[in-house]
Amino acid sequence: MPRYSEQFKRDAVALYENNEDLSLKAASVELGINRASLHSWLKQYGTGKRPRMAQSRANAAAASDAERIRRMEKEIAKLREERDILRKAAKYYGRRDALVIRFQFVDDHCTEYSVKRMCTVLKINRSSFYKWASTREKRELKACSDVVIGAKIQTIFDDEGGLYGAKRIAASLKEDKDLTQPVNHKRVARIMKAMNLKGFSKKRRCVTTKRAPGHRVMPDLVSRNFTSSGPNNVYVGDITYLPCKGGKNMYLATVIDVYSRKLAGFALADHMRTSLVIEALAHAKQVRGGLAGAIFHSDHGNVYTSQAFRAYCQSLGVVQSMGAVGTSADNALAKSFNATLKREVLKDRKVFDAPLACRQEVFRWCTRYNTRRWHSWCHYLTPDMFETLTSATITHGA
């Protein structure tokens, strides 16, 4: 039976305790472990607390017929008033900023309807409306000033060939003697956004493959043939970055069996040191019970060519293999796995909310990948099911 690391046990317990929709049985099936094992881990690492289920709805007391009619008449009157307000407000929409036109409507109809009622129907804050009304003259002066500054921004932007952003343009405006007051980069950025101007900037790129000079290059034993006659023979691995808000990254190291596409081992951390890939390979060794004689294929990242990782592979009896330098197709299976993970976990998001949320979401997806996710390579079976069925077929045929 596979042995699991302490970190895996803690993550499994956290997954169960932070998801109220998961029963103990469902969580053990999703993680691909024995229910009794998860129960024992809960005793060892669990906090004993789970989110409480929503309280059942309170039964509303039946109101008398007369009271019901009175409330219905009052509600009808409110709805009629709301309908009239929205009909008149519809003529204002399509002009300028949506919030500003709602303020303008309230200001124009304050003698016909109460300000409180109009703010409620149009979903605006009364104090915000009163502040808008009291600062009208100041806004008009600011709008005129923005027009003057916008013309100067356009001139500087064109002169610099569209390369300058808000901070550089703000620095250029400081040298303009015609401006009586200094203009900071935040105001410049706001005006540029309104004018649809954006300085040139290179897209963020995170490099995870850094080849260490002087390290011996391993032979390519796979040659882009990502197939195998059985499990635990050939593995591929890679490191991918998981972007988080604030510019931080988490990193995931993987060990994938090419026979069934099973994620035999993985490790998550906020760094990409050699210990990360060693931990992933150690996880695969625990799951498989041993890796002696297996081939591990990767790129030429310095973590994979490091002396520590090579020594660890030798201690496990693992033979290293590497594709050509700078050719992602030589490790296409691992790259495809990384792309699938980001597509299915992030969906329409660009980044994770926080490193902790990233760890929990990715951990859950990785555990479901083997036990719940249908894989086209496995004829739309899960990797675990595919290995079980094929091993049973081979045994029956023998």
Side-chain angles (χ1 to χ4, degrees), residues 102-110 115 118-119 122 124 129:
R102 283 182 282 174
F103 287 157
Q104 188 64 55
F105 173 82
V106 174
D107 189 56
D108 293 344
H109 295 79
C110 59
V115 172
M118 287 188 289
C119 290
L122 298 177
I124 57 178
F129 163 73

Side-chain angles (χ1 to χ4, degrees), residues 42-86:
L42 284 169
K43 290 182 178 180
Q44 186 177 1
Y45 303 105
T47 61
K49 298 179 180 178
R50 293 194 74 189
R52 296 181 178 178
M53 299 294 290
Q55 295 181 352
S56 59
R57 298 177 180 176
N59 297 324
S64 65
D65 292 344
E67 179 65 21
R68 261 199 326 270
I69 293 172
R70 187 188 68 80
R71 284 186 299 172
M72 289 176 64
E73 289 177 345
K74 185 177 180 180
E75 186 65 26
I76 291 172
K78 286 178 64 178
L79 290 174
R80 284 175 178 170
E81 185 182 46
E82 181 177 339
R83 179 199 61 189
D84 294 339
I85 292 173
L86 291 174

Side-chain angles (χ1 to χ4, degrees), residues 32 91 93 107 123 129 144 146 148 175 198 200 216 236-237 242 245 251-252 260 276 281 294 344 348 358 364 398:
K91 300 178 182 179
Y93 284 82
D107 189 56
K123 297 180 180 180
F129 163 73
C144 293
D146 284 354
V148 175
E175 305 299 325
K198 187 177 181 181
F200 175 81
R216 182 169 61 90
V236 296
L242 306 168
K245 284 184 179 179
Y251 297 91
L252 172 69
S260 61
L276 179 65
L281 196 60
E344 296 185 0
D348 292 331
C358 170
R364 183 173 189 179

Side-chain angles (χ1 to χ4, degrees), residues 145-216:
S145 177
D146 284 354
V147 172
V148 175
I149 296 173
K152 294 183 178 294
I153 289 173
Q154 185 70 62
T155 301
I156 297 171
F157 188 83
D158 292 340
D159 290 344
E160 299 299 332
L163 296 176
Y164 273 12
K167 291 186 177 181
R168 284 190 170 87
I169 290 180
S172 299
L173 289 174
K174 289 181 181 179
E175 305 299 325
D176 194 330
K177 296 181 180 179
D178 294 337
L179 294 176
T180 56
Q181 294 182 345
V183 180
N184 63 23
H185 70 277
K186 293 182 179 179
R187 186 177 182 184
V188 173
R190 176 177 58 80
I191 297 173
M192 288 181 67
K193 184 178 181 180
M195 297 173 65
N196 198 25
L197 298 178
K198 187 177 181 181
F200 175 81
S201 61
K202 219 174 182 183
K203 292 184 178 180
R204 179 187 178 195
R205 184 169 178 265
C206 181
V207 179
T208 56
T209 302
K210 299 178 181 179
R211 185 184 178 192
H215 281 197
R216 182 169 61 90

